[in-house]
Amino acid sequence: MSQEVVNAVGRRKSAVARVYLTAGGSGKITINDRPLETYFPMEIFQFVVKQPLQVTNLAEGVDVKINLAGGGIKGQAEAARLGISRCLIEMDAELRPELKKNGFLTRDSRVVERKKPGRPGARKRFQFSKR
């Protein structure tokens, strides 16, 4: 593995992650020019972002640079996970079965349902009054 740079896009809800993966790195993950631990202080989100690298045992072999935009903290973490998974496949196609088995290649298409006119929310109704 040389210093090749592979890129991919990951999306979740309204979050978009543009991921640049450099093979032969030291395992550094940078998000919006900040270290992973600073950008995602909660360990659960750090774990979500690192999942594809840990499953494929490449946590120490690649450098990851991510540009994140939109959405909330959970959506951003899951978008980053999808982007990293797609980069890993582009780099080495033999990793696909392992990533697919863990569900890291599925784009979670669930988004918030829109609010309907004359209603307080998407499904909620105003209280019914008989009289």
Side-chain angles (χ1 to χ4, degrees), residues 4 13 18 23 25 28 33 48-49 59 61 67 70 85-87 92-93 100 112-113 120 124 129-131:
E4 62 172 323
K13 294 186 178 180
R18 288 188 298 282
K28 196 171 69 188
D33 298 320
V48 166
V49 172
N67 292 332
S85 300
R86 287 177 172 174
C87 277
D92 183 6
K100 189 153 178 69
V112 176
E113 190 175 336
K124 192 170 171 136
S129 172
K130 202 167 193 175
R131 284 178 196 87

Side-chain angles (χ1 to χ4, degrees), residues 29-47:
I29 300 175
T30 312
I31 302 174
N32 293 354
D33 298 320
R34 289 159 56 191
L36 173 69
E37 292 73 25
T38 314
Y39 195 85
F40 290 123
M42 291 178 66
E43 283 185 31
I44 185 70
F45 297 125
Q46 293 175 26
F47 174 75

Side-chain angles (χ1 to χ4, degrees), residues 1 4 12 21 23 26 40 53 61 68 100 108-109 115:
M1 284 203 256
E4 62 172 323
R12 170 77 170 98
L21 199 128
S26 59
F40 290 123
L53 298 171
L68 273 171
K100 189 153 178 69
D108 193 342
S109 61
K115 183 192 169 298

Side-chain angles (χ1 to χ4, degrees), residues 80-131:
R81 178 174 70 183
L82 177 62
I84 291 170
S85 300
R86 287 177 172 174
C87 277
L88 289 171
I89 287 175
E90 215 171 297
M91 202 172 71
D92 183 6
E94 271 128 53
L95 300 173
R96 186 178 173 85
E98 188 66 28
L99 290 167
K100 189 153 178 69
K101 187 179 81 175
N102 286 289
F104 300 151
L105 297 178
T106 306
R107 197 308 198 180
D108 193 342
S109 61
R110 295 176 296 172
V111 292
V112 176
E113 190 175 336
R114 78 175 198 87
K115 183 192 169 298
K116 311 301 186 302
R119 302 268 155 77
R123 304 270 172 110
K124 192 170 171 136
R125 290 355 185 196
F126 288 115
Q127 185 171 349
F128 176 74
S129 172
K130 202 167 193 175
R131 284 178 196 87

Side-chain angles (χ1 to χ4, degrees), residues 54-65:
Q54 289 168 341
V55 164
T56 55
N57 297 322
L58 289 171
E60 301 301 314
V62 292
D63 282 342
V64 183
K65 183 180 181 295

